[in-house]
Amino acid sequence: MSDHFSTARVSLVDRTAASGPARALLDQIHGAFGTTPNMFRAVANSPAALQSMWAAFGALGGGVVGAALGEQIAVAVANRNACDYCLAAHTALGRKAGVSGEALAAAQSGESADPRTAAVLRFALQLVNQRGQVDAADVQALRDQGLSDEHIVEIVAHVALNLFTNYVNVALAVPVDFPGVKLRPGR
């Protein structure tokens, strides 16, 4: 687990000192957030990785899963991977997307009062826990909640993107620059 006041294990690229593709992407990110979150500053050490991450956020942000459910998936995956950074960021973004604090806290444990959301969070955590080795019944549980193949593939994409961000933040000890959220014990 990372220390909120740790020093990053890679440099945090200063947007105003960056050049080329990294600068252009960091300017877009700064425009979207009104600041440049530390995670993107760390990833900016590789313009290719930053472009990949930012494009994935953009593409999935316009998908069928929607912002609220996407943030609940992110919170569940972050909690499971003990990623303080992503848990804090996606709790803030989840609230901005209209998800209640109670629903976000439940999502940390892969739970929801809504059966459809609960099925999605269960599936997301199965993907993480079983390294993708889910079976037909796990996928069918999503279909039983009215989710299409488009939803199912997009849920896998959300989990994969969150694994990318979790690994960046945990492995590279990126300092949290969002309001902290307490991890919940795993089930």
Side-chain angles (χ1 to χ4, degrees), residues 7-26:
T7 301
R9 296 176 181 147
V10 295
S11 62
L12 299 179
V13 176
D14 181 342
R15 177 180 66 90
T16 61
S19 61
R23 174 64 187 257
L25 290 164
L26 289 172

Side-chain angles (χ1 to χ4, degrees), residues 94-168:
R95 288 187 175 191
K96 188 176 176 186
V99 182
S100 72
E102 296 78 21
L104 288 164
Q108 283 184 251
S109 299
E111 299 169 358
S112 175
D114 173 61
R116 181 176 181 264
T117 300
V120 169
L121 297 178
R122 257 191 315 278
F123 183 74
L125 291 178
Q126 286 174 314
L127 286 170
V128 173
N129 293 339
Q130 296 164 213
R131 297 186 181 125
Q133 302 293 321
V134 297
D135 60 31
D138 297 322
V139 175
Q140 186 59 46
L142 294 173
R143 288 196 177 101
D144 292 346
Q145 290 298 321
L147 294 157
S148 69
D149 286 351
E150 183 177 8
H151 286 96
I152 293 166
V153 171
E154 205 168 290
I155 291 163
V156 174
H158 273 275
V159 171
L161 175 57
N162 283 285
L163 289 174
F164 179 15
T165 62
N166 289 181
Y167 290 177
V168 162

